[in-house]
Amino acid sequence: MNFRETTVKYIKDILKAKTIYEVIYAELQEAHLRKLEAETAAEYAHAAMQYNEERIKRLEARLIKHKEEGEYK
């Protein structure tokens, strides 16, 4: 196919009415993509929570240590 034929075919495909199967399939693909994005966001949020929980423990322990040593002001 040359450029002209490819372009004409592309335009025809865009303007062609889609079947119900094509519409459902496209929406299904979109739903899978959004689910993957949500899972990624949830994993990131979970990792951020774990990081901050460990950070809080570390900082509280350090605060207690410095308080016991009399360095807390």
Side-chain angles (χ1 to χ4, degrees):
M1 267 193 202
N2 62 29
F3 177 75
R4 183 175 185 272
E5 291 171 340
T6 304
T7 304
V8 169
K9 182 182 179 315
Y10 174 75
I11 292 172
K12 283 182 180 180
D13 287 344
I14 289 175
L15 298 177
K16 180 181 85 172
K18 297 196 182 327
T19 66
I20 190 71
Y21 176 83
E22 291 172 324
V23 172
I24 292 170
Y25 185 73
E27 192 169 330
L28 180 61
Q29 286 182 312
E30 179 72 19
H32 279 294
L33 178 61
R34 296 295 165 245
K35 181 178 182 262
L36 287 172
E37 290 172 344
E39 288 172 346
T40 298
E43 289 170 355
Y44 177 82
H46 182 72
M49 286 174 42
Q50 284 181 323
Y51 166 77
N52 282 304
E53 286 172 358
E54 292 300 316
R55 184 175 173 212
I56 289 167
K57 288 177 190 174
R58 176 179 53 83
L59 291 171
E60 286 175 341
R62 187 169 288 176
L63 184 63
I64 290 170
K65 178 183 173 190
H66 285 286
K67 189 174 184 179
E68 289 171 351
E69 292 175 358
E71 296 178 19
Y72 181 71
K73 295 179 183 177

